[in-house]
């Protein structure tokens, strides 16, 4: 499921659909294990493992996807679209 538009804090900015591939890429940039993402997001480790093992859009409740996204963004991940979704570290995260 994608994050509902109502949860978009930056009005007018399109939300990138959260996929297992983007979550894994974000974790790799942060050098986080699944356990770290579980702790940071408040989502169980079993759920993180299940969601990441399935290709494509996260099949999760909106609250779960939002918690994962917010934890990654708080750590310095920026989700991008621009025709091809991706992730990058923000300049503040690199410091």
């Amino acid at each position: 499921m994608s994050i509902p538009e109502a949860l978009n804090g930056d009005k007018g900015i399109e939300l990138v659909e959260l996929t297992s591939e983007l979550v894994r890429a974000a974790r790799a940039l942060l050098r986080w294990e699944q356990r770290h993402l579980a702790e940071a997001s408040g989502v169980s480790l079993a759920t993180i493992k299940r969601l990441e093992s399935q290709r494509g859009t996260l099949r999760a409740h909106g609250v779960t996807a939002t918690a994962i996204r917010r934890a990654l963004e708080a750590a310095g991940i920026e989700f991008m679209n621009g025709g091809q979704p991706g992730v990058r570290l923000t300049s503040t995260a690199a410091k």
Side-chain angles (χ1 to χ4, degrees):
M1 291 183 178
S2 61
I3 299 172
E5 188 65 33
L7 296 177
N8 184 359
D10 299 316
K11 295 183 189 281
I13 296 175
E14 180 183 342
L15 288 175
V16 175
E17 186 175 83
L18 202 57
T19 66
S20 61
E21 293 82 5
L22 289 175
V23 172
R24 288 192 305 271
R27 278 195 315 99
L29 284 173
L30 295 170
R31 298 179 185 215
W32 279 9
E33 294 182 6
Q34 289 175 325
R35 178 177 7 101
H36 195 136
L37 178 56
E39 291 168 4
S41 66
V43 174
S44 75
L45 178 57
T47 298
I48 298 290
K49 288 182 177 187
R50 178 182 56 80
L51 292 174
E52 285 193 8
S53 70
Q54 300 170 354
R55 297 178 80 173
T57 303
L58 289 187
R59 294 183 199 129
H61 293 285
V63 172
T64 301
T66 299
I68 291 169
R69 181 187 198 97
R70 287 186 177 158
L72 293 169
E73 289 176 338
I77 291 295
E78 180 180 354
F79 293 92
M80 308 173 308
N81 196 349
Q84 294 186 341
V87 296
R88 68 178 176 187
L89 283 173
T90 61
S91 58
T92 56
K95 293 179 184 178

